[in-house]
Amino acid sequence: MNLWLLLALIVLADCRCQKQGTQCCPDLCSCSLSGAEVVCSQSSLTHFPVEDLSRDTTQLSIQSTNLSIITTSHLSAVPLLNKLHLYHNKLQSLPSDLLRGVPRLNTLDLTGNQLVHLPPNVFSHTPLFSLVLKNNLIEKADAEWLPDNSSLTWLDLSGNRLTDVPSALLHKLPHLVNLDLSDNNLKELQADALDRLHHLESLNLAGNNLSTLRPTTFTNTPQLTQLFLQENRLQELPATLLQGLQHLKMLLLNQNQLRQLPSGLLGERDSPILVILTGNPWVCDEKMEYLWKWLSIHPQNVFFLEEVICAGPEALKRRQVASLTENELGLVK
């Protein structure tokens, strides 16, 4: 009797999967009615769920599991895949031909794994638009990861251990719109690193060890609208650093080592940029005239204006910069 009951259950399950053309869903996963979207988020999952995975799957998310290995043959089981999210798993390496069987893939998110080294050509077999490698253990970025004239518009390498990003890698990304290099160990940018990123709109360099920037750093990124430079070690900025960035809307400079801003840095725009300037050791003397006047004219464009305070001289310590007078700054002769 038990055997007959088991057979009956198997038949019923198979009928349920095949009814109206629907597909079975892998264990420890949930699937849309069509089977095109699959989400696997159980920590007990340790292997890629090839069994019962529909060949019509277009979106696959495996998140917060114990998955440690993924192969080319795994992904070849879902040849129509266009979005693959593999975040917060246990992946330590990827095969160089991983994406060969998914020629339609345009989005790959590998956030929060344990990737250290990636092989050449690992992202060269499909026209990716978005690549996220956030919060891994990557120490070196390699130009050989990607093909020439890559289709990427979004690249996120934040939260890794990079000390340098080679110009050769960025030169392969002429269509890039968003670049996130925050929370690494970058000490400088190569002189020509951004020269071919003519369509770049958002650049995040926060949380690194940058102490200076060249005057021409952003000369070839005229479409920049957001620039994040906070939490670095910047001590001074070139007066012409932002020259030509007519579309810049937001600039974050908080938590650096800036003592003054050079005259003209923030430019004259029809719509002044929004800035954050807190957490810098501003020295409130005659060299503060430019920033003091800019704050007075554009107070509505400064987040946390009351926290932009003097670190010196002693007589003005902890005073709000915007509250100072010409006399206090030594501007009256």
Side-chain angles (χ1 to χ4, degrees):
M1 180 65 72
N2 288 339
L3 179 60
W4 285 110
L5 180 59
L6 179 60
L7 289 173
L9 289 173
I10 292 174
V11 170
L12 285 173
D14 187 62
C15 289
R16 185 191 69 232
C17 291
Q18 299 303 326
K19 185 178 180 181
Q20 296 179 348
T22 60
Q23 301 292 328
C24 284
C25 192
D27 289 342
L28 305 177
C29 302
S30 61
C31 304
S32 63
L33 290 177
S34 65
E37 299 179 22
V38 180
V39 177
C40 309
S41 57
Q42 300 295 320
S43 60
S44 54
L45 182 68
T46 58
H47 296 87
F48 190 88
V50 174
E51 189 175 350
D52 290 333
L53 195 59
S54 170
R55 288 182 63 83
D56 295 329
T57 300
T58 58
Q59 298 184 38
L60 175 60
S61 176
I62 302 176
Q63 57 197 47
S64 303
T65 77
N66 281 301
L67 179 71
S68 60
I69 296 175
I70 186 168
T71 68
T72 311
S73 61
H74 288 155
L75 293 186
S76 294
V78 281
L80 303 183
L81 204 63
N82 57 55
K83 290 182 173 61
L84 177 60
H85 300 277
L86 296 170
Y87 36 82
H88 301 298
N89 296 295
K90 307 294 184 184
L91 298 172
Q92 297 183 21
S93 63
L94 303 175
S96 61
D97 60 350
L98 175 66
L99 306 181
R100 191 179 295 278
V102 281
R104 301 185 184 186
L105 192 72
N106 58 55
T107 300
L108 177 59
D109 190 334
L110 288 155
T111 297
N113 282 279
Q114 299 168 13
L115 300 170
V116 178
H117 173 75
L118 298 176
N121 299 313
V122 63
F123 305 121
S124 295
H125 303 294
T126 185
L128 286 175
F129 295 138
S130 176
L131 175 59
V132 181
L133 294 165
K134 180 178 181 178
N135 293 347
N136 278 277
L137 305 172
I138 301 170
E139 297 180 353
K140 181 181 179 181
D142 193 337
E144 299 305 313
W145 290 348
L146 293 160
D148 292 336
N149 197 31
S150 167
S151 54
L152 277 184
T153 60
W154 187 293
L155 176 60
D156 188 342
L157 281 163
S158 63
N160 281 283
R161 299 176 177 179
L162 300 174
T163 57
D164 181 48
V165 177
S167 298
L169 172 63
L170 299 180
H171 288 178
K172 290 185 171 185
L173 308 174
H175 308 290
L176 205 62
V177 174
N178 185 297
L179 175 60
D180 193 338
L181 298 172
S182 62
D183 299 319
N184 279 284
N185 297 311
L186 303 178
K187 293 183 179 179
E188 65 175 357
L189 290 180
Q190 294 185 11
D192 61 344
L194 308 179
D195 281 4
R196 298 187 186 177
L197 303 186
H198 305 307
H199 300 287
L200 195 66
E201 296 179 9
S202 179
L203 175 60
N204 194 340
L205 294 167
N208 281 287
N209 293 312
L210 299 172
S211 59
T212 187
L213 292 169
R214 295 176 177 84
T216 57
T217 299
F218 307 119
T219 298
N220 293 297
T221 57
Q223 301 304 317
L224 268 184
T225 61
Q226 299 180 99
L227 180 56
F228 303 98
L229 297 171
Q230 72 271 26
E231 298 173 19
N232 277 283
R233 298 181 180 180
L234 295 170
Q235 298 178 24
E236 59 182 359
L237 297 173
T240 58
L241 181 67
L242 308 179
Q243 187 173 318
L245 301 184
Q246 294 302 314
H247 301 287
L248 193 63
K249 299 183 183 301
M250 180 173 289
L251 173 66
L252 272 58
L253 288 169
N254 46 300
Q255 274 67 50
N256 276 285
Q257 299 297 317
L258 297 168
R259 297 160 66 88
Q260 301 95 20
L261 291 187
S263 180
L265 175 73
L266 301 176
E268 297 300 328
R269 295 174 173 81
D270 294 336
S271 178
I273 59 178
L274 301 171
V275 297
I276 301 181
L277 301 167
T278 57
N280 284 285
W282 302 112
V283 176
C284 295
D285 56 19
E286 66 277 3
K287 294 180 181 179
M288 183 60 74
E289 180 179 10
Y290 170 71
L291 178 57
W292 173 69
K293 285 183 176 179
W294 198 92
L295 296 178
S296 301
I297 297 171
H298 306 292
Q300 72 280 3
N301 289 79
V302 186
F303 292 104
F304 315 113
L305 176 62
E306 68 283 357
E307 296 178 30
V308 182
I309 58 176
C310 304
E314 191 65 32
L316 298 177
K317 225 173 207 183
R318 302 208 59 79
R319 285 284 304 277
Q320 294 180 19
V321 173
S323 72
L324 300 176
T325 65
E326 287 184 316
N327 277 333
E328 289 173 314
L329 287 172
L331 300 177
V332 177
K333 304 299 182 182

